[in-house]
Amino acid sequence: MACPVSDGSDPALCPTDLCCYGECHCAPSAGHGGRRRLMLQALGLGAAALAVAGVALPVLPTTPFVLLSAWAFARSSPRLEAWLREHPRLGPPLEAWEERRAIPRGAKAVAAVSLPVSGLLVHAAGAGIAVTASVGLVLACVGGWIVTRPS
């Protein structure tokens, strides 16, 4: 189902699976000022840069940054969104997420290792027991959610 766009622009610019649970406001020209558009483009570019770094660095996740970048670009720049979707390394995880809500096995494996290591680093840094336990609980929930997604 195409997302209704109130300003008469092309609904294809507003993919429903990137809209925030029915809050369809992602058409680039939907009454947003130039400053907001530039901020969204900067957010998208920053997230895309972190996603590219995540391809090379095993402890930095790629998929969440690709999704954030796609969200920002869908609301600010059809050209940058098209670039992201056509990118040989960043496009496939985005496509897998949109089609099947899937996270690649490699990303799951990295998360399975890096999440506990992150918790241990918080503890080793001298955080109190309450902080360590809270961080551990959040990391366990995130890890559980990641491993239950399709591959």
Side-chain angles (χ1 to χ4, degrees), residues 10-68:
D10 183 7
L13 297 177
C14 189
T16 54
D17 60 336
L18 293 178
C19 290
C20 298
Y21 303 101
E23 297 176 309
C24 190
H25 48 74
C26 58
S29 61
H32 301 307
R35 189 176 346 164
R36 178 169 180 189
R37 185 175 178 182
L38 287 175
M39 288 173 45
L40 285 169
Q41 287 176 357
L43 175 65
L45 290 170
L50 289 171
V52 169
V55 170
L57 301 171
V59 295
L60 189 63
T62 300
T63 305
F65 292 117
V66 169
L67 296 176
L68 178 60

Side-chain angles (χ1 to χ4, degrees), residues 52-86:
V52 169
V55 170
L57 301 171
V59 295
L60 189 63
T62 300
T63 305
F65 292 117
V66 169
L67 296 176
L68 178 60
S69 186
W71 176 86
F73 289 157
R75 287 158 177 76
S76 63
S77 174
R79 180 180 57 84
L80 290 171
E81 182 184 13
W83 167 81
L84 182 67
R85 291 179 180 285
E86 294 168 8

